[in-house]
Amino acid sequence: MKKFRKVLDGLTTSSPGGTIGSPSCGSAAGTPTAAPTPREIDVQETLVSENFQLCKTVRHGFPYQPTALAFDPVQKILAIGSRSGGVRILGRPGVDCYCQHESGAAVLQLQFLINEGALVTACADDTLHLWNLRQRRPAVLHSLKFNRERITFCHLPFQSKWLYVGTERGNTHIVNIESFILSGYVIMWNKAIELSTKTHPGPVVHLSDSPKDEGKLLIGFESGTIVQWDLRAKKADFRIYYDEAIHSVSWHHEGKQFMCSHSDGSLTLWNLRNTTRPFQVTFPHGKIQKDGRKESCKPILKVEYKTSRSSEPFVIFSGGLSYDKAGRRPTLTIMHGKAITVLEMDYPIVEFMVLCETPYNNEVQEPYAVVVLLEKDLIVVDLTQSNFPVFENPYPMDIHESPVTCTAYFADCPPDIIPILYSIGAKHKKTGYSQKEWPISGGTWTLGSHTYPEIIITGHADGSIKFWDASAITLQMLYKLKTSKVFEKPKPGEGRAAELVEEDPFAVQMVSWCPQSRIFCVVGISAHIILYRFSKYDANTQIVSLEVRLQCESEDVISPSENENNPCFSEQGSHSPQPHHQHPASPGNRTPEGIKDSIPCLKVKDRVVRVPPGYQSELVIQLLWVDGEPPQQITSLDINSAYGLLAFGNCNGVAVVDYLQKTILLCMSTLDLYGAADPYQRLTRSPRRNRQSTSGLTELTDNQQSIDMERSKSPTSDHVNGHCTSPTSQPCSAGKPRIPMGPEGPRLTRRGPGRPPFRKAQSAACMEISLPVSHTEVGHASRRAMLQQLHGVTMYSHDEHHTTASYCWSERESRENSFSRSRSSSVSSIDRDTKEAVTTLQFGESYGRKSDALPTPCLWVGTSLGVVLLIPMSIPTDQEERMEEPVTIGPSGAVLMLKSSVLRFAFLDLVGALIQSPYEVWRDLNAPEDPDRPRRRKLVHFSPSSSQDACGDGHLAVVCSERQAKVFLMPSQSCLFVHNITESSFVLRADVVSVCNSVCLACFCANGHVMTLSLPSLRPLMDVNYLPLTDMRIARTFCFTNGGQALYLSSPTEIQRITYSQEMCDNLQEMLGELFTPIETPEAQNRGFLKGFFGGNAHTFDREELFGEAAAGKASRSLAQHIPGQGGVEGMKVAASGAVGELARARIALDERGQRLGELEERTALMMTSAETFSKHAHELMLKCKDKKWYQF
């Protein structure tokens, strides 16, 4: 507990320099301004550095770019490897673990040590790793790096400690799993094949031991050669040379037959009695053509041959379709007897695996399911039913159903919101799934004690919104909302719609949600906002549409007649509410020259529609085209249910809408908001017609000059460094630049929100883009180049103005970047424009002016030039008056300044507690009327002065920009603390969050640093170099929330959750699931005397005698290098760790010991009874024979 006693400015005395937060405020953390005042307050800060630690918690979603699959049939857990070196291990719902190889090399193959709690991974860097799964966070125990050979295939027999490793050269090596040391026993390729063979057999593509005899190893080479190697005799039993390349091999459980899949789409069945030719050759999908020849077919990449007691064997394979069937989707074929079932998949098949009842390969397999790993999905097919239904997947594998374009994270939500959303969403679930339980049911997971309601919201490229229950580090979809249903479907060939048919016009750019009032707001890429209210009842409703002309330009001459009806150009202080009008998109909205004007990008449904229970659209706000200029993307949004107001801004200005009265209250350019308080000396703009006809070089040169001029006149040099120049009049989103035309040419339209900046096939969420270190095209190096990459702003140079049909990488790059969370359009390219973008908005009770004695509703406006504006408002308090009387907005009040673009506002009371925004308690407007209890608006206010009588009136305002954070005292507007967060980078995301019953400022920077600062003193508490910004997806989706948690999209298909709270890191082990549970290995079936006698000596095979150092010697040291892992150097059974695992094993050991003691006690009792009986009989015999003579015997 450390007290900060700081001298604060008086409410009546303040210098102008202190008002705007000049650099004299200081730059170090905890440095106050010199403000003489006799008054002092005490702020107690409880957070210290020990409260913070950064670590990953859990990863949700489908593994990105999967490569390998494995299943433990006893533990019933599944492992998926990926191209980036990640391994996801899945069990029952809640058991979900992510591991990452440090090398980042792709995972080629996975092998479970069945029922041993271990996993072997083979990676593309020719390294084998042994993972310990007997702990909640798996670790690598051993690694073995091959130096001279490339690994192509691995095989680990059940209950064996020797791993067979095939290589690209055709050799087979053997690795001891316990020590991870290479054996001296090697099967060289030239020994495996006949000496007379002149060609190399190719890489090893298959290894398996014979079910009939473990001492026989079947080796499949890519060229079509198959060898059965006798491990004891060290020679080949037989060799098969087939014309077609081999992709996979599968044994019949009796060990007398095996099946191969080939590159020509054929399956061959081989009998060991006669290996000269295949016993059977089939082309499952190859039909005989008219000329008698077979159709050419695609390769069958994998086949599995599984037997069943109660029915015919199953032959399951992927691929094999004929080439002439163009457009056919990838297939999985199930051949069961004479029935052939072809299952079409939505994505290419990466791998599949048949799940069987027994882990023994020499028993009847009894398959019950097939796990199919696709490129973008995981499917499990039920084999026990004739129609082969799929199981309902309990994991959140469909996050990427449409590419994710934005995220929001809400911790500690109202407890009733999750059950309500789930009950609504459950009504729309798909049917037709298998009725059986999900077969991947391994591991254990319990609900931890440190859980609270959490919700994650994802916005998608197709306009859909998904609500996820994220409580207790799990993820389950609650409810899905489709925003596209509000609009008419664009039809090809109809003007605007012709430009949209190949795009995603409904893509979600940002969301705003008030869990208390359940009001939900969506901002779309087509410059539209949709307001939703929640209802448990369906309703017939007509959507109200407001259309806003937010295209204010300072050089335009507005006539008095235009000024009367257009609030966009009304004088400051006289913003009268404008009634809404529905403007249908008709040809009448175009000028005679065909230039689009006063039309929105999308057409709202203008009829009464039936809406189901859940979120129901109430209001749609759309920005309009102006003189052929598309509307700019919306960059900032805030909604307040208590005020009934919605504010949004872009690089043209800001607008405020009364959504209760459906009116526009304010629509002004940012420059007009300043009035006489503008802190900048602006440059006048050149006329539009001159801009159109200038050459690219001239425009670029002029812009550079104006940059230099404006920099010299700016209060600080940072204000115009890179992206802090004023936004351009051209569309700030990445798109097609203006093509130079003559004075007679038509005015060109460029892709703005009307032409969303990405395509479905190459959408933002599906790309990874590396940021350049620097760009020196125009003189400013890495700073502006990174910002242009981040915010999707291209440099509009006329020498680049050309249109090509090819979809080049730079265009894909700009389309990706245009989805920055709130500033995609706020950052300007080099231009002479005098506008600045609105980057953040916040409603709250505050003091608009220094002279205010009481707080009033205010709108805080932050801009891209680091300026903060306060707009006071007067809102009627009575419910009837609120619905009838207009809300009045006064002229702008305070003007504060920071370095760089403003990102976040927050308000604290004078004891350092966070002041929540006022809200309206949720009420269902569609519920039946109750005459006894009329539905009235119930508002909850958190006034900064209500509980501050002892400390005096006022509150603290926390303002964070891309470079700097400041704390102001209101209403005096004096800067108390200032901290320069970064000089070399810039902040991407900042939030004021609650941690450990206190609050702090959390920041994520473009250089990958995650920081926390104390409040109000802005003392650095944590600074971790966590995640370098490698692509725009992270910047677009990173968000903090309360409780010390955060998330981001780690890949196009996965959400990574992290925590920066020490308390949660300590409790994480309790919250994670156990991957390994002690289960007794099922006993092998009794083979019977005759089968054991005639079936070979499989059970007498001792691998230790053959592969151990005593018999085989040591392998060459240069062949492979052993690397001890951080998980320990002992064997798996000894190296198991984790308290729960130890307790479980101890409990089992005690049970076994108790059972043995019980058996011993029973045997002792039997022996005592037997001894007593013997003594009794002996005594009787003695009495009987006592008096007998010797001759009587």
Side-chain angles (χ1 to χ4, degrees):
M1 303 280 288
K2 188 175 181 181
K3 283 189 178 181
F4 291 91
R5 305 176 64 85
K6 298 299 178 186
V7 180
L8 309 181
D9 249 351
L11 295 177
T12 55
T13 61
S14 178
S15 65
T19 301
I20 64 171
S22 64
S24 64
C25 294
S27 60
T31 305
T33 53
T37 175
R39 194 162 59 84
E40 292 183 350
I41 62 169
D42 293 341
V43 176
Q44 293 184 338
E45 294 187 359
T46 59
L47 291 179
V48 292
S49 298
E50 287 71 24
N51 294 126
F52 297 91
Q53 180 186 347
L54 193 70
C55 69
K56 295 179 180 179
T57 54
V58 68
R59 183 174 290 211
H60 303 296
F62 180 77
Y64 184 55
Q65 294 180 329
T67 54
L69 184 69
F71 182 72
D72 187 325
V74 179
Q75 289 289 322
K76 294 192 182 302
I77 56 176
L78 186 80
I80 301 173
S82 70
R83 192 176 299 174
S84 60
V87 178
R88 283 283 289 282
I89 305 171
L90 303 168
R92 67 178 65 248
V95 178
D96 187 342
C97 179
Y98 174 76
C99 316
Q100 175 67 44
H101 292 92
E102 290 184 2
S103 65
V107 178
L108 298 179
Q109 198 175 351
L110 300 167
Q111 285 275 324
F112 275 107
L113 275 66
I114 295 174
N115 204 29
E116 293 289 340
L119 176 71
V120 175
T121 59
C123 296
D125 60 351
D126 306 307
T127 306
L128 298 172
H129 303 274
L130 180 66
W131 291 84
N132 176 13
L133 305 185
R134 296 197 181 204
Q135 55 194 49
R136 299 199 182 208
R137 284 188 172 273
V140 173
L141 286 169
H142 302 282
S143 297
L144 188 67
K145 168 75 173 173
F146 281 75
N147 297 322
R148 294 184 301 187
E149 297 201 51
R150 306 296 307 270
I151 298 173
T152 56
F153 196 87
C154 298
H155 171 63
L156 180 66
F158 179 45
Q159 293 181 323
S160 167
K161 67 175 185 179
W162 298 94
L163 174 74
Y164 302 117
V165 181
T167 68
E168 194 175 41
R169 291 186 180 179
N171 303 324
T172 301
H173 300 274
I174 301 169
V175 178
N176 187 314
I177 287 298
E178 292 180 352
S179 62
F180 239 56
I181 294 175
L182 210 58
S183 167
Y185 193 112
V186 183
I187 305 172
M188 304 299 290
W189 68 270
N190 54 354
K191 299 288 182 65
I193 65 173
E194 291 179 339
L195 295 176
S196 59
T197 306
K198 297 180 180 180
T199 57
H200 190 279
V204 175
V205 295
H206 177 81
L207 292 168
S208 62
D209 52 331
S210 168
K212 189 177 178 181
D213 186 353
E214 294 177 350
K216 305 293 178 68
L217 182 68
L218 194 70
I219 307 172
F221 297 94
E222 188 181 61
S223 63
T225 302
I226 300 172
V227 177
Q228 180 167 289
W229 184 263
D230 189 330
L231 294 167
R232 300 183 196 88
K234 299 183 180 179
K235 66 176 185 178
D237 284 345
F238 63 81
R239 299 177 177 92
I240 296 173
Y241 299 97
Y242 196 67
D243 296 337
E244 294 295 334
I246 292 175
H247 285 281
S248 69
V249 181
S250 182
W251 278 99
H252 187 280
H253 80 275
E254 293 178 349
K256 298 175 183 178
Q257 294 178 335
F258 61 86
M259 185 176 288
C260 301
S261 68
H262 299 278
S263 57
D264 63 345
S266 65
L267 295 174
T268 56
L269 185 64
W270 298 84
N271 196 315
L272 297 193
R273 291 181 181 177
N274 181 11
T275 57
T276 56
R277 58 187 178 87
F279 175 73
Q280 184 181 349
V281 180
T282 56
F283 287 81
H285 295 300
K287 297 178 182 178
I288 299 176
Q289 297 174 334
K290 293 179 180 180
D291 56 1
R293 291 186 302 173
K294 288 273 187 181
E295 286 182 317
S296 59
C297 296
K298 298 176 183 177
I300 296 179
L301 300 177
K302 183 177 181 180
V303 64
E304 293 220 25
Y305 186 21
K306 302 298 180 184
T307 53
S308 175
R309 286 190 182 87
S310 59
S311 65
E312 295 286 326
F314 284 86
V315 176
I316 303 170
F317 61 89
S318 61
L321 290 181
S322 59
Y323 277 104
D324 62 344
K325 294 177 181 176
R328 283 285 294 272
R329 294 191 289 181
T331 60
L332 182 80
T333 305
I334 302 173
M335 298 171 62
H336 189 211
K338 294 183 178 180
I340 299 180
T341 305
V342 179
L343 304 178
E344 289 193 338
M345 304 296 170
D346 292 330
Y347 307 102
I349 297 174
V350 175
E351 172 73 287
F352 75 88
M353 184 166 287
V354 180
L355 309 188
C356 300
E357 297 287 354
T358 176
Y360 297 93
N361 66 344
N362 58 358
E363 297 178 358
V364 179
Q365 298 297 288
E366 295 293 348
Y368 60 90
V370 183
V371 179
V372 188
L373 178 64
L374 308 177
E375 277 191 359
K376 295 184 179 179
D377 204 357
L378 179 71
I379 293 173
V380 182
V381 181
D382 186 355
L383 290 180
T384 61
Q385 299 182 44
S386 59
N387 60 338
F388 303 126
V390 298
F391 290 89
E392 184 176 8
N393 196 328
Y395 314 126
M397 294 288 189
D398 57 346
I399 293 173
H400 61 287
E401 185 179 18
S402 174
V404 178
T405 53
C406 73
T407 58
Y409 193 5
F410 300 88
D412 209 6
C413 300
D416 59 337
I417 191 70
I418 290 179
I420 289 176
L421 286 172
Y422 182 79
S423 64
I424 297 295
K427 298 175 183 176
H428 305 286
K429 282 198 170 183
K430 296 178 181 178
T431 57
Y433 293 110
S434 172
Q435 299 303 311
K436 295 195 173 184
E437 290 188 4
W438 180 251
I440 306 165
S441 55
T444 55
W445 179 77
T446 55
L447 197 64
S449 57
H450 300 272
T451 58
Y452 41 82
E454 298 176 69
I455 286 181
I456 293 173
I457 300 176
T458 55
H460 300 265
D462 64 352
S464 60
I465 303 284
K466 291 181 181 178
F467 289 77
W468 306 84
D469 177 9
S471 308
I473 72 169
T474 60
L475 196 71
Q476 183 179 12
M477 195 170 82
L478 296 172
Y479 175 71
K480 183 177 179 180
L481 175 68
K482 295 182 179 179
T483 62
S484 58
K485 290 187 175 181
V486 173
F487 303 100
E488 301 284 0
K489 289 183 180 179
K491 296 179 181 179
E494 291 188 4
R496 298 171 300 145
E499 304 171 3
L500 302 176
V501 288
E502 294 182 357
E503 310 288 351
D504 285 314
F506 310 114
V508 178
Q509 201 171 0
M510 68 181 79
V511 296
S512 178
W513 186 46
C514 176
Q516 289 80 13
S517 65
R518 301 183 191 172
I519 286 182
F520 185 59
C521 227
V522 179
V523 174
I525 192 70
S526 296
H528 63 270
I529 301 173
I530 310 173
L531 180 89
Y532 290 91
R533 284 185 183 270
F534 187 83
S535 176
K536 293 189 286 186
Y537 305 91
D538 56 2
N540 293 319
T541 181
Q542 182 162 5
I543 304 165
V544 178
S545 175
L546 280 179
E547 295 176 350
V548 180
R549 189 182 174 93
L550 190 58
Q551 195 84 10
C552 312
E553 301 195 8
S554 57
E555 85 269 24
D556 289 338
V557 179
I558 308 300
S559 64
S561 60
E562 288 176 320
N563 197 28
E564 289 175 5
N565 298 323
N566 194 341
C568 186
F569 303 103
S570 54
E571 291 296 325
Q572 189 173 351
S574 62
H575 308 301
S576 59
Q578 178 191 8
H580 76 276
H581 299 285
Q582 181 93 19
H583 297 293
S586 64
N589 294 116
R590 297 170 179 262
T591 60
E593 294 82 6
I595 297 173
K596 298 177 185 178
D597 186 59
S598 300
I599 57 172
C601 296
L602 301 170
K603 187 179 187 303
V604 180
K605 291 180 179 177
D606 54 2
R607 60 185 182 277
V608 176
V609 292
R610 184 83 172 171
V611 288
Y615 273 104
Q616 301 168 351
S617 55
E618 179 178 296
L619 176 66
V620 177
I621 303 167
Q622 290 184 282
L623 298 186
L624 300 175
W625 286 67
V626 178
D627 294 335
E629 295 278 351
Q632 302 301 309
Q633 292 180 21
I634 295 165
T635 58
S636 54
L637 172 77
D638 193 40
I639 186 168
N640 190 282
S641 56
Y643 300 160
L645 300 179
L646 181 150
F648 62 92
N650 63 6
C651 61
N652 285 326
V654 66
V656 180
V657 172
D658 183 342
Y659 68 79
L660 296 177
Q661 297 185 24
K662 310 296 190 295
T663 55
I664 302 169
L665 302 176
L666 176 73
C667 182
M668 295 184 71
S669 68
T670 321
L671 182 60
D672 293 334
L673 288 174
Y674 286 109
D678 189 354
Y680 288 105
Q681 181 177 356
R682 311 265 174 174
L683 296 175
T684 58
R685 288 173 42 170
S686 59
R688 180 195 298 265
R689 57 182 179 272
N690 292 344
R691 275 208 320 277
Q692 267 194 320
S693 58
T694 53
S695 68
L697 181 61
T698 306
E699 182 176 349
L700 190 61
T701 307
D702 290 347
N703 289 340
Q704 181 61 55
Q705 291 174 352
S706 64
I707 287 289
D708 297 336
M709 292 172 64
E710 190 168 346
R711 175 183 293 173
S712 65
K713 299 176 183 179
S714 303
T716 65
S717 61
D718 283 272
H719 292 148
V720 208
N721 184 8
H723 82 294
C724 294
T725 57
S726 308
T728 173
S729 63
Q730 301 178 6
C732 294
S733 62
K736 299 175 183 175
R738 182 189 298 273
I739 301 174
M741 300 288 286
E744 316 265 312
R747 181 174 299 210
L748 288 173
T749 60
R750 295 170 303 282
R751 184 180 67 233
R755 293 294 304 277
F758 63 96
R759 298 181 185 271
K760 291 179 183 175
Q762 292 116 343
S763 60
C766 298
M767 300 180 195
E768 294 193 9
I769 297 171
S770 299
L771 287 177
V773 177
S774 64
H775 277 301
T776 55
E777 297 172 7
V778 199
H780 298 292
S782 60
R783 160 77 176 164
R784 188 170 66 251
M786 290 184 71
L787 284 163
Q788 287 165 351
Q789 286 276 352
L790 175 63
H791 304 303
V793 179
T794 54
M795 299 185 184
Y796 289 102
S797 164
H798 283 177
D799 56 359
E800 297 174 355
H801 293 170
H802 55 274
T803 305
T804 59
S806 62
Y807 187 58
C808 62
W809 175 252
S810 61
E811 186 176 355
R812 289 167 55 194
E813 212 169 49
S814 64
R815 291 184 176 195
E816 155 84 10
N817 299 344
S818 67
F819 263 116
S820 170
R821 178 195 160 273
S822 64
R823 304 191 309 284
S824 61
S825 303
S826 65
V827 185
S828 172
S829 62
I830 306 171
D831 199 16
R832 292 174 292 211
D833 197 40
T834 57
K835 296 179 298 181
E836 60 185 301
V838 175
T839 54
T840 184
L841 295 163
Q842 178 78 48
F843 286 106
E845 300 282 318
S846 187
Y847 303 86
R849 297 171 184 80
K850 294 182 184 180
S851 57
D852 290 351
L854 295 173
T856 58
C858 289
L859 175 63
W860 287 64
V861 181
T863 75
S864 57
L865 296 189
V867 179
V868 178
L869 298 165
L870 271 71
I871 303 175
M873 298 172 293
S874 176
I875 303 174
T877 54
D878 182 74
Q879 179 170 348
E880 284 75 17
E881 291 182 359
R882 177 65 186 86
M883 300 304 296
E884 297 173 2
E885 296 294 324
V887 174
T888 57
I889 297 180
S892 299
V895 178
L896 312 171
M897 287 191 65
L898 289 85
K899 289 182 181 179
S900 201
S901 180
V902 181
L903 297 180
R904 184 68 61 203
F905 297 121
F907 309 118
L908 309 178
D909 59 24
L910 295 186
V911 294
L914 186 66
I915 302 172
Q916 301 288 345
S917 296
Y919 64 86
E920 175 190 0
V921 178
W922 174 71
R923 56 199 175 105
D924 198 334
L925 299 181
N926 295 338
E929 290 285 350
D930 187 354
D932 299 329
R933 298 178 62 185
R935 289 199 302 269
R936 297 182 60 84
R937 297 184 74 214
K938 182 181 178 182
L939 308 183
V940 178
H941 285 269
F942 301 91
S943 175
S945 61
S946 58
S947 59
Q948 305 301 321
D949 297 333
C951 299
D953 296 336
H955 71 87
L956 303 176
V958 181
V959 187
C960 184
S961 74
E962 288 184 344
R963 292 286 190 89
Q964 198 176 53
K966 287 187 179 182
V967 176
F968 296 94
L969 175 66
M970 305 300 291
S972 69
Q973 303 172 16
S974 54
C975 178
L976 302 184
F977 300 97
V978 59
H979 177 69
N980 289 335
I981 300 172
T982 177
E983 292 294 340
S984 59
S985 184
F986 55 98
V987 178
L988 290 168
R989 181 72 188 231
D991 285 292
V992 173
V993 293
S994 61
V995 181
C996 301
N997 299 317
S998 187
V999 291
C1000 68
L1001 175 63
C1003 303
F1004 173 58
C1005 296
N1007 59 8
H1009 284 250
V1010 177
M1011 309 178 189
T1012 56
L1013 304 173
S1014 67
L1015 291 176
S1017 67
L1018 299 177
R1019 186 168 40 91
L1021 297 172
M1022 181 189 75
D1023 186 351
V1024 178
N1025 186 7
Y1026 168 67
L1027 182 75
L1029 184 66
T1030 54
D1031 55 67
M1032 297 305 104
R1033 185 190 318 105
I1034 299 171
R1036 190 180 62 248
T1037 57
F1038 197 102
C1039 51
F1040 295 98
T1041 190
N1042 294 328
Q1045 296 196 75
L1047 67 79
Y1048 60 93
L1049 216 65
S1050 57
S1051 73
T1053 61
E1054 295 169 288
I1055 290 176
Q1056 177 69 59
R1057 291 165 68 179
I1058 63 173
T1059 181
Y1060 47 96
S1061 163
Q1062 179 67 57
E1063 181 184 6
M1064 188 165 184
C1065 288
D1066 295 340
N1067 298 322
L1068 189 58
Q1069 288 291 330
E1070 176 192 343
M1071 301 168 73
L1072 295 173
E1074 284 272 6
L1075 292 172
F1076 179 79
T1077 52
I1079 300 173
E1080 189 174 343
T1081 302
E1083 293 184 2
Q1085 295 176 3
N1086 188 1
R1087 305 181 70 209
F1089 173 75
L1090 292 177
K1091 275 194 174 181
F1093 188 78
F1094 294 108
N1097 53 349
H1099 295 282
T1100 62
F1101 178 59
D1102 188 355
R1103 293 185 178 90
E1104 184 68 35
E1105 288 184 4
L1106 287 175
F1107 307 146
E1109 188 175 328
K1114 290 184 178 181
S1116 171
R1117 289 186 179 180
S1118 62
L1119 185 60
Q1121 176 188 359
H1122 175 257
I1123 306 168
Q1126 67 270 26
V1129 293
E1130 301 297 329
M1132 282 303 307
K1133 293 179 181 178
V1134 181
S1137 61
V1140 175
E1142 294 288 355
L1143 287 173
R1145 282 185 293 281
R1147 186 164 58 248
I1148 289 176
L1150 284 173
D1151 291 343
E1152 292 174 352
R1153 185 169 178 266
Q1155 185 177 354
R1156 286 195 295 269
L1157 286 173
E1159 292 172 356
L1160 180 63
E1161 188 177 354
E1162 289 176 3
R1163 285 198 296 269
T1164 305
L1166 286 171
M1167 289 176 65
M1168 290 179 66
T1169 305
S1170 177
E1172 288 176 1
T1173 305
F1174 178 77
S1175 175
K1176 181 181 177 182
H1177 287 307
H1179 183 68
E1180 290 175 353
L1181 184 62
M1182 185 267 295
L1183 292 175
K1184 184 178 179 181
C1185 301
K1186 182 179 178 183
D1187 299 326
K1188 286 188 177 183
K1189 302 298 181 180
W1190 61 272
Y1191 52 85
Q1192 292 178 325
F1193 288 98

